[in-house]
Amino acid sequence: MNIANLIAVGFLAACSSQSDAIGAYIASDTDGAMMVQITSADEGKISGTVSIVGAVQDGKNIAGARPFSGTIDGKAINLSIENGTGVSLATGAIEGDKLRLTWFANGSSTQATFEKSDAARFGELADASRTRAAEKRQDIESLAAAKDRTQRRSETQKSIEKLADKVFSKANELSEKSRKIDVLIAGYQAARNRTAKMKTAIQHINAKSPEGSYQISQINYQMNDLANDIESIHISVQNYRAALIGFANDAGSQSSQHLAECQTDRLLDCSRLSASMLLFQSRYKQFQRDYQRENTAYNAKSGADI
C-alpha cells in the first residue's frame, strides 16, 4: 500500500462483515498509516471512521479523519467516505482479519490491504509518522542550508580570485613603474644639464641688441617649458603613489577578511590571493624606495635651476 497514493485519490474509506466486521483495520508503509475503524455493522449497513497520517514530499505531516457509511453483504462491502467536498467510494471484502479495498476518486483507483488490529496501534504508527516527517523536514532544511552554504562559498571564492587577479595585475604594474623611475631620474639630470647650457648661452648673448633680446626670450621660454614638463611628470608620480596607497589599504583590508574566511572554511582556497599579496607587498616596498629616489632627484634641481 502506498499512503501517498491513497491521499491523492481522495483521502479515506472503510470496510465490514456484520458484527464480526466491527473493529480497527490498519495498513501502513514508510509513508504513513491508514486506519479503517468500523464502529457499527447491522442489517447490511456499516459506519465508522477512516483516519490517515503520513508525510508528504516537503516534510509536512498530513493527518485527519473522515466518517463513512456503507453496506456489507457477506464478505463484500461498499463504502462512501465524506471528503469535505463530496464523497469518495471504496469497494472490497473482509476476509478473516484482512480487509481488502479498492478506492476510487478523481478518475483513478488504488488498492490497499488492511490488517485487523488494536486501534492503539494506529496511534503508535501516527507518532512514528510524525517523527519521520520531522526528520524529513530537518533533512530538507539541512539540504537547503548546505545548498546556501555552497552558493555563498562559490560567491566568496569568486571574490577571492577576483581580488587575487587585481593584486597580481597591480604588482606587475608596479614593476613597470619602478623601471621607469630610472628613466625619470635620468630625465631630471638631462634637464639640469640642458638648463645649465641654456643659461651659459644667455651669458654670451648681447642682451642690448634686438636679435640678442629675442634669442634670450626664446631660451627663457624653452626653459619654462622644460620646467613645466618636469613638474608635470613629478606630479603624476605623486598622484600615482597616492592612488597606490589607497589600493594597498583596500586590498589589504579585503585580503585580511578573505584570509580569515579561508581559516574558518577550509573548502575555500586563498593560495593565489596569498601569493599575489606577497608579490605585491615586495614590489610595493621597492616602488616606495624608487619613489624616494625620484623625489630626491626632482628636488635636487630647484625652480631656479630650470
Side-chain angles (χ1 to χ4, degrees), residues 9 15 39 73 79 117-118 135 138 157-158 165 225 252 260:
V9 297
C15 80
T39 56
D73 183 5
L79 307 178
S117 180
D118 190 326
E135 291 172 348
Q138 186 174 11
Q157 189 65 56
K158 288 179 182 178
D165 289 341
D225 271 356

Side-chain angles (χ1 to χ4, degrees), residues 210-257:
E211 182 179 351
S213 178
Y214 175 77
Q215 289 177 336
I216 291 172
S217 67
Q218 288 295 103
I219 292 173
N220 284 331
Y221 178 79
Q222 292 174 15
M223 286 193 297
N224 285 335
D225 271 356
L226 183 59
N228 290 336
D229 289 343
I230 295 302
E231 183 178 11
S232 176
I233 292 171
H234 178 63
I235 290 174
S236 70
V237 175
Q238 290 180 311
N239 290 340
Y240 179 80
R241 178 173 176 268
L244 180 62
I245 292 173
F247 176 88
N249 289 337
D250 289 343
S253 176
Q254 293 180 49
S255 176
S256 296
Q257 178 183 341

Side-chain angles (χ1 to χ4, degrees), residues 6 35 41 48-49 77 105 108 131 143 154 178 185 192 203 236-237 244 250 253 255:
L6 289 174
M35 178 175 67
T49 304
I77 62 172
S108 62
T131 299
L143 182 62
S154 176
S178 288
I185 292 173
R192 284 197 296 271
Q203 293 174 0
S236 70
V237 175
L244 180 62
D250 289 343
S253 176
S255 176

Side-chain angles (χ1 to χ4, degrees), residues 177-186 188 192 234 237 286-300:
K177 292 291 184 181
S178 288
R179 283 194 293 269
K180 289 182 177 180
I181 293 295
D182 286 331
V183 176
L184 297 182
I185 292 173
Y188 295 158
R192 284 197 296 271
H234 178 63
V237 175
Q286 180 59 49
F287 177 82
Q288 292 285 47
R289 291 192 290 269
D290 291 332
Y291 170 77
Q292 293 300 328
R293 290 172 52 232
E294 183 275 340
N295 200 50
T296 299
Y298 174 79
N299 290 325

Side-chain angles (χ1 to χ4, degrees), residues 113-131:
T113 299
F114 299 77
E115 296 281 349
K116 199 167 189 178
S117 180
D118 190 326
R121 173 61 180 158
F122 181 77
E124 296 172 359
L125 292 171
D127 289 341
S129 177
R130 283 189 286 270
T131 299

Side-chain angles (χ1 to χ4, degrees), residues 38-245:
I38 301 174
T39 56
S40 68
D42 186 38
E43 296 182 356
K45 296 184 181 299
I46 58 175
S47 62
T49 304
V50 180
S51 302
I52 191 166
V53 62
V56 293
Q57 188 172 13
D58 60 0
K60 292 182 179 178
N61 196 63
I62 302 299
R66 295 284 187 272
F68 71 79
S69 60
T71 61
I72 182 169
D73 183 5
K75 294 181 179 181
I77 62 172
N78 294 287
L79 307 178
S80 297
I81 306 99
E82 297 180 16
N83 59 23
T85 59
V87 295
S88 297
L89 302 177
T91 183
I94 296 177
E95 300 172 356
D97 287 340
K98 295 185 182 299
L99 167 61
R100 305 183 191 280
L101 287 176
T102 300
W103 308 75
F104 302 95
N106 301 323
S108 62
S109 64
T110 298
Q111 293 181 337
T113 299
F114 299 77
E115 296 281 349
K116 199 167 189 178
S117 180
D118 190 326
R121 173 61 180 158
F122 181 77
E124 296 172 359
L125 292 171
D127 289 341
S129 177
R130 283 189 286 270
T131 299
R132 287 195 300 272
E135 291 172 348
K136 190 169 186 178
R137 285 196 304 274
Q138 186 174 11
D139 289 343
I140 291 172
E141 291 169 0
S142 297
L143 182 62
K147 183 178 180 181
D148 181 62
R149 286 195 300 272
T150 299
Q151 182 176 353
R152 284 188 285 108
R153 181 182 294 122
S154 176
E155 293 172 353
T156 300
Q157 189 65 56
K158 288 179 182 178
S159 180
I160 290 170
E161 297 305 321
K162 184 177 180 179
L163 179 59
D165 289 341
K166 288 173 62 177
V167 174
F168 270 128
S169 177
K170 186 61 71 172
N172 291 333
E173 180 182 290
L174 274 176
S175 182
E176 182 64 23
K177 292 291 184 181
S178 288
R179 283 194 293 269
K180 289 182 177 180
I181 293 295
D182 286 331
V183 176
L184 297 182
I185 292 173
Y188 295 158
Q189 182 60 50
R192 284 197 296 271
N193 294 339
R194 185 179 176 188
T195 298
K197 290 180 180 179
M198 285 190 286
K199 288 180 178 180
T200 300
I202 289 175
Q203 293 174 0
H204 292 86
I205 296 174
N206 183 2
K208 295 181 179 180
S209 68
E211 182 179 351
S213 178
Y214 175 77
Q215 289 177 336
I216 291 172
S217 67
Q218 288 295 103
I219 292 173
N220 284 331
Y221 178 79
Q222 292 174 15
M223 286 193 297
N224 285 335
D225 271 356
L226 183 59
N228 290 336
D229 289 343
I230 295 302
E231 183 178 11
S232 176
I233 292 171
H234 178 63
I235 290 174
S236 70
V237 175
Q238 290 180 311
N239 290 340
Y240 179 80
R241 178 173 176 268
L244 180 62
I245 292 173

